């Protein structure tokens, strides 16, 4: 079976750094994705990791450890517009387009 | 129009009604998806179409019936739904051979009364 865990809610301060963790237990692994979803809007792609290590993209970075079944999304220099839900998703097999999503972490940025 | 569009954006229907949700992608992708998003639950994959063939049916009740007439269009036909089917229904598309990124539409907020 597939199991993906991430915290339900987090709060952080504008200008600070926040790390959102995701752990997974899946029958196969071929990539981990992070999506951002603002309230009432569609999820939008943030990052993709398939090899161990850190992928950096501007203020956002994503890390993967396949041996630990663990990933995190790091957001730097937080802005109020970063208030959103952050969804962790795992693809089990290459060529199979099925993504299994976690429940999402609702991040609130406070001034 | 660009990206992935969905109509209607909001739908209220009774349990005996029949309605259809429409999704259109303008990205030249060859895979399309239907997801259900309920409050406090993970995004649930319902159906996957790849090259216009259904390749995934995630144990979805038969009151949901997908249709993919071509690579740009995807429908979800609804009949005799239950109140617990009220949710946000999201369509997504991707390029199956290459890209890993799924592009989502804005969703249809469905309320079953």
């Amino acid at each position: 079976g597939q199991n993906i865990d991430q915290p339900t809610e987090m709060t952080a301060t504008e200008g600070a750094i926040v790390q959102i963790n995701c752990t997974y237990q899946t029958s196969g692994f071929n990539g981990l994705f992070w999506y951002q979803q603002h309230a009432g809007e569609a999820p939008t792609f943030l990052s993709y990791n398939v090899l161990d290590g850190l992928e950096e993209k501007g203020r956002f970075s994503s890390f993967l450890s396949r041996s630990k079944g663990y990933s995190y999304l790091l957001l730097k220099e937080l802005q109020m517009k970063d208030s959103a839900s952050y969804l962790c998703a795992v693809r089990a097999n290459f060529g199979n387009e099925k993504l299994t999503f976690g429940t999402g972490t609702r991040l609130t940025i406070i001034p | 129009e660009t990206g992935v569009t969905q109509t209607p954006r909001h739908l209220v229907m009774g349990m005996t009604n029949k309605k259809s949700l429409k999704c259109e992608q303008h990205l030249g992708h060859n895979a399309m998806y239907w997801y259900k998003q309920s409050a406090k639950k993970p995004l649930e994959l319902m159906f996957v179409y790849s090259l216009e063939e259904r390749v995934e049916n995630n144990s979805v009740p038969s009151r949901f019936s997908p249709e993919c007439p071509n690579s740009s269009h995807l429908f979800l036909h609804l009949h005799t739904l239950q109140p617990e089917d009220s949710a946000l229904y999201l369509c997504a598309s991707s390029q199956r051979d290459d890209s890993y990124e799924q592009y989502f539409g804005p969703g249809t907020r469905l309320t079953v009364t």
Side-chain angles (χ1 to χ4, degrees), chain B residues 4 12-15 17-18 20 27 33 39 47 71 84 101:
Chain B
V4 181
V12 179
M13 59 186 289
M15 287 190 283
N17 291 159
K18 289 185 180 180
S20 295
L27 301 168
Y33 313 78
F47 302 104
S71 60
E84 59 264 29
E101 180 179 347

Side-chain angles (χ1 to χ4, degrees), chain B residues 7-107:
Chain B
T7 54
R9 293 294 307 275
H10 300 272
L11 178 62
V12 179
M13 59 186 289
M15 287 190 283
T16 58
N17 291 159
K18 289 185 180 180
K19 296 286 184 184
S20 295
L21 310 185
K22 179 183 176 183
C23 175
E24 185 172 359
Q25 59 97 359
H26 309 268
L27 301 168
H29 289 164
N30 55 18
M32 296 187 76
Y33 313 78
W34 279 117
Y35 287 90
K36 176 183 179 182
Q37 189 172 39
S38 305
K40 302 190 188 302
K41 288 187 177 179
L43 208 59
E44 300 172 51
L45 180 67
M46 300 175 73
F47 302 104
V48 180
Y49 276 81
S50 178
L51 301 173
E52 300 156 41
E53 287 193 24
R54 192 190 310 179
V55 297
E56 185 86 27
N57 179 345
N58 238 19
S59 303
V60 179
S62 59
R63 56 186 184 268
F64 295 92
S65 175
E67 178 190 1
C68 187
N70 55 61
S71 60
S72 299
H73 293 86
L74 187 65
F75 294 89
L76 188 63
H77 304 300
L78 316 171
H79 63 98
T80 59
L81 294 190
Q82 304 298 312
E84 59 264 29
D85 297 323
S86 298
L88 181 67
Y89 289 84
L90 291 162
C91 173
S93 71
S94 71
Q95 185 61 20
R96 187 169 189 261
D97 296 333
D98 182 17
S99 170
Y100 39 75
E101 180 179 347
Q102 292 186 15
Y103 291 77
F104 285 83

